[in-house]
Amino acid sequence: MIGKHFILTGSTSGLGKSILKQLLAKKVNVTVLVRNSEKLKDVIEKYGMSHLSIIQCDLQSTEAIYNITKQLKSQKFDGLIYCSGLGYFKTIAHHTSKEMLETYQLNVIHFNILLEILKPYLTNYPSIIGISSQAAFVTQASAAHYGASKAAFYQTLNALRIECPNYHILTVNTGPIDTPFHKKADPSNNYANKYRKIMLNADELAKKIIKGIITKQDEINQPKWMFVMLKFYQIAPRFFEQHFTKLFKNKS
Ligand SMILES: NC(=O)c1ccc[n+]([C@@H]2O[C@H](COP(=O)([O-])OP(=O)(O)OC[C@H]3O[C@@H](n4cnc5c(N)ncnc54)[C@H](OP(=O)(O)O)[C@@H]3O)[C@@H](O)[C@H]2O)c1
């Protein structure tokens, strides 16, 4: 990884921040797209700026995404790590149009636009890493749009793997991680408080992701037990939803 250059989104918090720190510790060059660079103060204090470039970009804004090329010079990037994401843990009826649009824009559509814009700046064999979710594989009350956006993201990445064989595509399908994500998704913090014990540690997951980039893995599914359980669920999803309904309402 030394000397390589990655573009990273979502670096100001949670999993993305863990990935950023570990890349900088390995002396990998990272260009981050952030909307609030103040949130990187602690990272800059520890690792300096010699391997870090910051581009201001609100990933909800198509215009801001198009404008990033103005700040890119002739450098080539070895990959894109798309770690930004959001969700609202509320019923379909309770989502406002703004919340729905935000969810799909950030989680899927703007990833696509960003990748298209970055294409001329990528090396011939880049790694594209997308942080999806185990939520892509299960129907859940109060997380429909989040799950749907992650399922769309997962499908997009899988299709890219076929359409662009020169790309190394790594999809990271993760279960709950202990990050500030939950406070934003569910301000009551009920879900996080209930499930904190089973949440993944962001630093450990980041380590697995970096290993996955180096070893050119196609998928990381964590935690393994959740991935296996959801494989059984997929054999007869409507049966499980009817007979174990409570399990599918745990985000309510
Ligand atoms: N935490 C979980 O349990 C969990 C489970 C499955 C999948 N995931 C996925 O893992 C990824 C990382 O999540 P996390 O847990 O680390 O969440 P997080 O702590 O909330 O971090 C989200 C990151 O996305 C950035 N972001 C959000 N909106 C943005 C925008 N408009 N423009 C630029 N950046 C924006 C945030 O920037 P700001 O700091 O400016 O807000 C932050 O850096 C996400 O894709 C999430 O869906 C998380």
Side-chain angles (χ1 to χ4, degrees):
M1 295 290 274
I2 298 171
K4 296 219 171 199
H5 196 158
F6 284 85
I7 291 229
L8 171 65
T9 72
S11 64
T12 47
S13 176
L15 180 62
K17 200 174 218 181
S18 293
I19 294 174
L20 175 63
K21 286 185 198 160
Q22 293 186 31
L23 289 175
L24 293 176
K26 285 184 184 294
K27 305 213 180 311
V28 176
N29 299 305
V30 190
T31 294
V32 292
L33 305 183
V34 300
R35 54 182 174 178
N36 181 2
S37 53
E38 274 295 297
K39 287 187 164 184
L40 290 177
K41 235 168 135 186
D42 56 328
V43 177
I44 295 168
E45 266 167 28
K46 185 156 182 203
Y47 298 97
M49 286 292 292
S50 52
H51 293 280
L52 176 65
S53 309
I54 301 173
I55 295 180
Q56 202 71 28
C57 178
D58 179 352
L59 290 165
Q60 289 291 358
S61 158
T62 317
E63 198 191 339
I65 298 174
Y66 276 106
N67 277 336
I68 66 164
T69 53
K70 290 184 187 154
Q71 295 180 66
L72 298 175
K73 293 167 199 118
S74 56
Q75 74 262 53
K76 286 278 180 187
F77 295 100
D78 298 281
L80 164 66
I81 306 171
Y82 197 83
C83 192
S84 42
L86 66 77
Y88 294 99
F89 290 171
K90 46 172 76 176
T91 61
I92 295 168
H94 280 100
H95 271 79
T96 62
S97 344
K98 185 171 174 277
E99 288 166 344
M100 277 188 269
L101 285 169
E102 277 180 9
T103 305
Y104 291 101
Q105 268 170 196
L106 184 68
N107 294 359
V108 205
I109 297 164
H110 285 177
F111 157 75
N112 257 264
I113 293 175
L114 178 64
L115 183 61
E116 280 308 311
I117 284 165
L118 287 178
K119 270 184 181 167
Y121 299 89
L122 296 174
T123 54
N124 291 338
Y125 299 96
S127 287
I128 312 296
I129 298 94
I131 313 302
S132 183
S133 171
Q134 289 292 323
F137 308 135
V138 57
T139 302
Q140 278 181 305
S142 302
H145 289 304
Y146 178 65
S149 71
K150 288 297 185 182
F153 186 44
Y154 180 64
Q155 286 296 341
T156 305
L157 286 160
N158 288 337
L160 270 176
R161 193 181 290 116
I162 303 168
E163 290 174 8
C164 307
N166 58 318
Y167 286 4
H168 160 230
I169 303 283
L170 169 58
T171 53
V172 180
N173 309 310
T174 168
I177 322 165
D178 194 358
T179 69
F181 172 91
H182 297 281
K183 191 81 201 141
K184 299 175 213 166
D186 166 25
S188 75
N189 238 4
N190 283 343
Y191 176 81
N193 289 337
K194 234 192 296 175
Y195 292 97
R196 198 167 308 277
K197 275 198 201 121
I198 61 151
M199 283 188 184
L200 298 166
N201 175 284
D203 290 334
E204 283 167 19
L205 184 58
K207 210 167 161 189
K208 288 192 171 99
I209 293 169
I210 291 170
K211 192 171 165 220
I213 300 174
I214 297 170
T215 57
K216 300 241 182 296
Q217 260 173 270
D218 288 336
E219 278 200 21
I220 291 175
N221 289 287
Q222 287 287 328
K224 273 269 170 294
W225 64 263
M226 190 176 281
F227 177 65
V228 172
M229 246 175 67
L230 291 180
K231 283 279 168 224
F232 282 109
Y233 155 76
Q234 280 146 15
I235 295 169
R238 304 297 89 83
F239 172 86
F240 284 106
E241 287 156 17
Q242 267 169 31
H243 292 85
F244 303 93
T245 313
K246 224 176 139 193
L247 288 177
F248 301 90
K249 287 175 116 180
N250 65 2
K251 285 188 168 121
S252 305

